[in-house]
Amino acid sequence: MKLNTNSNSYIIIYSAILVVVVAFLLAFVFQALKPMQDANVALDLKKQILYSLNIRGLDGTEAEAKYAEVVKEETELAGHKVYVCEVDEKGVLVVPMKGMGLWGGISGFLAMQLDDKLDWTVYGAYFNHESETAGLGAEIKDDVSWQEKFIGKKIFDEKNVVLSVVKKVENPETQVDCVTGATLTSDGVDAMIKENLKFLLTPEAEKDFEKIK
């Protein structure tokens, strides 16, 4: 019996088989590539942490080795993940951060030198974004010189996170000027810093911090 390739039933069956075959192939490719994708995601995370420690320009193998050298422990303070590091014989705490920019999510890592908490200053910073405007909000990631402005800034007073991103710097000890033309993204960075660092002022963090000093 000759198939009627113009019939509706033939088209439906042919389409269904094609969809199943393509779905199977896509699932196979995804599973085959997943270990490589996971490795790349993990490497990118390690590089971002190294960026916050002012360590840049390393290829994959170099970054893996440097990360293993300087990151001594991944632990928690008051239920928040942190990275305990040692760079140039200095103890440094790296805190992951997440927030919202103008068009989407923003994230970053803030590194601070371990000392008396009220005297903690920024050791380094790295910021990332999902979909900020190129040349404006995207500069939080692309402009290394802007990230470097955070270095040396005071982070806390007795009760608050005082490190800030502002439109007009009035206190250079604690404030960084915002990215030119990207006020809303800069506001997002400021809010992200305050929201993600405030847990370090809690009694729980103080208690846990004694364990890693």
Side-chain angles (χ1 to χ4, degrees), residues 154-171:
K154 184 178 178 181
I155 303 172
F156 305 105
D157 63 14
E158 292 185 359
K159 296 182 179 180
N160 302 290
V161 178
V162 293
L163 177 64
S164 304
V165 180
V166 297
K167 195 168 185 179
K168 182 181 179 182
V169 173
E170 296 179 348
N171 183 358

Side-chain angles (χ1 to χ4, degrees), residues 112-183:
M112 55 196 77
Q113 189 165 332
L114 291 174
D115 205 334
D116 181 76
K117 187 163 60 178
L118 295 182
D119 294 328
W120 278 1
T121 56
V122 178
Y123 184 86
Y126 175 76
F127 302 102
N128 205 347
H129 65 87
E130 294 176 5
S131 54
E132 296 305 292
T133 307
L136 296 174
E139 293 301 291
I140 66 169
K141 173 186 177 182
D142 300 334
D143 190 347
V144 176
S145 63
W146 185 74
Q147 297 172 10
E148 290 175 343
K149 291 180 179 181
F150 286 82
I151 297 174
K153 302 295 183 183
K154 184 178 178 181
I155 303 172
F156 305 105
D157 63 14
E158 292 185 359
K159 296 182 179 180
N160 302 290
V161 178
V162 293
L163 177 64
S164 304
V165 180
V166 297
K167 195 168 185 179
K168 182 181 179 182
V169 173
E170 296 179 348
N171 183 358
E173 186 181 28
T174 63
Q175 296 176 337
V176 175
D177 57 334
C178 68
V179 175
T180 304
T183 301

Side-chain angles (χ1 to χ4, degrees), residues 33 56 67 95 100 112 122-124 126-127 139 155 165 192 196 199 208:
L33 295 179
R56 302 174 182 265
Y67 182 89
V95 179
M100 283 297 298
M112 55 196 77
V122 178
Y123 184 86
Y126 175 76
F127 302 102
E139 293 301 291
I155 303 172
V165 180
M192 177 176 70
N196 286 265
F199 78 92
D208 290 344

Side-chain angles (χ1 to χ4, degrees), residues 102-116:
L102 175 59
W103 302 112
I106 57 176
S107 60
F109 293 91
L110 194 80
M112 55 196 77
Q113 189 165 332
L114 291 174
D115 205 334
D116 181 76

Side-chain angles (χ1 to χ4, degrees), residues 20-63:
V20 170
V21 170
V22 170
F24 173 79
L25 290 174
L26 288 175
F28 176 79
V29 171
F30 174 78
Q31 289 299 324
L33 295 179
K34 191 173 187 305
M36 185 182 300
Q37 293 171 338
D38 290 344
N40 287 336
V41 169
L43 177 59
D44 183 61
L45 178 68
K46 291 176 180 178
K47 283 186 173 181
Q48 290 186 42
I49 293 171
L50 291 175
Y51 295 158
S52 75
L53 295 168
N54 308 312
I55 302 171
R56 302 174 182 265
L58 303 181
D59 63 25
T61 302
E62 292 170 336

Side-chain angles (χ1 to χ4, degrees), residues 75-83 93-101 104-112 117 120 126-128 150 155-156 160-164 185-202 205:
T75 186
E76 289 190 353
L77 291 179
H80 295 256
K81 180 185 291 186
V82 296
Y83 300 85
L93 186 72
V94 176
V95 179
M97 303 180 294
K98 289 187 179 296
M100 283 297 298
I106 57 176
S107 60
F109 293 91
L110 194 80
M112 55 196 77
K117 187 163 60 178
W120 278 1
Y126 175 76
F127 302 102
N128 205 347
F150 286 82
I155 303 172
F156 305 105
N160 302 290
V161 178
V162 293
L163 177 64
S164 304
T185 302
S186 299
D187 288 346
V189 173
D190 180 70
M192 177 176 70
I193 289 171
K194 289 179 169 57
E195 181 64 26
N196 286 265
L197 298 187
K198 66 182 183 181
F199 78 92
L200 289 168
L201 293 169
T202 64

